Amino acid sequence: MSAYVLVINAGSSSLKYSLVDADSGAAAASGLVERIGESEGRHTHRGPQGETSAALTASSHEDALQAAIDAFGTYGPALDQVGMVAIGHRVVHGGTYFAEPALIDDELLTRVSELISLAPLHNPANLAGMRVALRLFPDLPQVAVFDTAFHQTLPPAAHTYAVPHEWATDHGVRRYGFHGTSHAFVSAEAARMLGRPPSDVNLVVLHLGNGCSATAVRGGLSVDTSMGMTPLEGLVMGTRSGDLDPAIHAHLARELGWSLDKIDHLLNFGSGLKGLAGDNDFRELSRRRAAGDELAQLAFDVFCYRIKKYVGAYYAALGTVDAIVFTAGIGEHDAAMRAAALANLDRLGITIDHDRNTASCTDPRRISTDDSQVAVLVIPTNEEWQIARETLGVVRPR
């Protein structure tokens, strides 16, 4: 019998949802309510009767979730007939409090509230989604699954910044890492593809979408990751800068009189690919590169070079690597990027097969040569299924 979990991802102005069979990963329905709090919102629902999309004015997350419930009733499947066992919520920041998913109660809500300063764009929306769902589904167990939890296994040398010790103890300044549900799902799938238990596999996992992160996984555990105290650190991203000299903040403040808030906003929303070439859509950059656009080419080169640096660093940190894994929108679909990011690494035992890499395929696959000592894999991520599985593991422990 299927064990359905309603997975909710509440953003600042959106609400994504998916009804997932935690055992098989099949989604019975999914949807997105956009522009919550704005006059021109939209609701898209995909269910057994196909896809429907319509304008929707949702003034709050409660309106958005009620619209989702109504869509299940109108377009299916009916939530009261599928045997829904729980609700799983994506929560971005769990700090050091949460190393695993947890049942939502008043104490958990308080802890997540205390972490708002570490994730001011995400945790308030995550809290809103949890509180609304608790009101609308008071009799269902509900579980918080944290993006940061997978990275709680980082050793002190990896998560500690070289700053005054009290910054960490008093203000939470340390590396937390993000995209944890994606890295957890993909690393387990990679071990399965290699035919080995996760405890016997070392991986470098590259989650490359509008947000990007690299993680070194040793024996199924995260031992280093590129995102830090916030999602700004690490790889070049769609609108985020990734790694940069921290003195740049002071330089811009002195030279231009900019506030820290303005600099922070530009580094998060006006940098990365968008800052380099004016566009954060990797597909559009590819079209511009093909037409000879120099800024698009530079953005591509910087993006790929940063990935290569992290692959090399994590190879050194792990000592031995069994596979490099690409996932998420860019990682799964852009063959040119994958080839450029791993070019000339033959001495490290990493060799991509051109035909495999460029073949049109959306299934999990190996794109390295047969004699490559390190496998290179492309594995579609499925964060909703991972959240559903972790939720089921809390409400139905084995």
Side-chain angles (χ1 to χ4, degrees):
M1 182 176 179
S2 298
Y4 282 103
V5 174
L6 179 62
V7 176
I8 294 176
N9 181 356
S12 57
S13 61
S14 66
L15 187 139
K16 291 174 64 178
Y17 60 89
S18 185
L19 184 64
V20 181
D21 182 343
D23 294 322
S24 70
S30 62
L32 171 65
V33 180
E34 302 175 271
R35 299 181 181 179
I36 296 172
E38 301 179 27
S39 58
E40 297 181 356
R42 192 154 201 87
H43 180 201
T44 301
H45 181 88
R46 302 173 188 85
Q49 300 178 31
E51 179 177 310
T52 178
S53 184
L56 172 71
T57 299
S59 61
S60 66
H61 285 82
E62 184 155 3
D63 290 345
L65 185 54
Q66 186 61 60
I69 295 169
D70 294 343
F72 279 110
T74 302
Y75 303 105
L79 294 177
D80 59 356
Q81 297 179 13
V82 297
M84 189 167 68
V85 298
I87 298 176
H89 295 262
R90 180 202 180 208
V91 181
V92 167
H93 218 305
T96 57
Y97 296 133
F98 300 101
E100 55 189 18
L103 277 172
I104 298 172
D105 56 18
D106 289 342
E107 181 181 357
L108 182 143
L109 294 174
T110 298
R111 292 292 194 189
V112 174
S113 297
E114 292 171 354
L115 294 166
I116 285 176
S117 62
L118 295 177
L121 298 177
H122 299 95
N123 273 29
N126 301 156
L127 278 165
M130 288 188 284
R131 287 173 173 148
V132 166
L134 288 169
R135 286 198 299 271
L136 296 180
F137 296 94
D139 298 325
L140 270 180
Q142 303 198 31
V143 174
V145 179
F146 298 90
D147 275 9
T148 50
F150 183 65
H151 303 298
Q152 284 299 296
T153 53
L154 265 62
H159 71 62
T160 302
Y161 290 118
V163 296
H165 184 63
E166 60 269 20
W167 291 13
T169 57
D170 298 345
H171 304 291
V173 176
R174 54 157 283 171
R175 182 179 306 280
Y176 293 99
F178 299 90
H179 292 149
T181 53
S182 177
H183 287 292
F185 177 84
V186 169
S187 57
E189 286 297 296
R192 183 188 62 78
M193 287 181 65
L194 295 173
R196 295 158 63 182
S199 59
D200 190 40
V201 173
N202 286 359
L203 307 167
V204 178
V205 179
L206 301 166
H207 176 107
L208 307 175
N210 193 51
C212 301
S213 61
T215 295
V217 180
R218 177 185 291 123
L221 304 178
S222 172
V223 295
D224 204 351
T225 193
S226 59
M227 286 181 167
M229 177 176 162
T230 75
L232 183 60
E233 189 179 0
L235 302 177
V236 175
M237 303 174 226
T239 65
R240 298 184 189 123
S241 65
D243 294 338
L244 78 166
D245 184 341
I248 289 174
H249 293 71
H251 172 75
L252 292 174
R254 286 192 301 265
E255 292 292 311
L256 301 173
W258 288 355
S259 68
L260 288 177
D261 284 344
K262 179 173 182 175
I263 296 168
D264 183 67
H265 181 83
L266 287 171
L267 291 176
N268 276 283
F269 299 103
S271 298
L273 298 173
K274 184 176 182 180
L276 287 167
D279 203 317
N280 63 310
D281 188 324
F282 213 80
R283 294 163 297 186
E284 178 59 26
L285 290 178
S286 295
R287 288 191 285 269
R288 288 171 54 187
R289 283 178 54 235
D293 189 308
E294 293 183 0
L295 286 180
Q297 184 64 55
L298 177 62
F300 177 86
D301 292 342
V302 173
F303 184 88
C304 296
Y305 181 65
R306 186 75 57 85
I307 293 169
K308 181 175 290 188
K309 287 175 67 175
Y310 267 93
V311 169
Y314 287 170
Y315 200 123
L318 290 167
T320 61
V321 175
D322 298 294
I324 311 293
V325 189
F326 288 93
T327 193
I330 300 172
E332 294 169 26
H333 299 295
D334 200 289
M337 177 279 302
R338 294 192 296 259
L342 299 185
N344 302 316
L345 297 183
D346 304 70
R347 291 291 295 273
L348 297 180
I350 302 169
T351 309
I352 285 184
D353 182 286
H354 173 78
D355 292 337
R356 291 175 178 174
N357 184 40
T358 57
S360 178
C361 181
T362 58
D363 295 330
R365 60 201 183 277
R366 177 174 177 143
I367 61 169
S368 49
T369 60
D370 291 336
D371 61 354
S372 180
Q373 296 174 19
V374 177
V376 181
L377 309 176
V378 178
I379 301 177
T381 191
N382 193 329
E383 296 176 80
E384 290 77 14
W385 188 11
Q386 183 69 19
I387 291 171
R389 290 194 298 200
E390 294 192 27
T391 297
L392 188 64
V394 172
V395 301
R396 290 185 180 176
R398 296 183 183 277

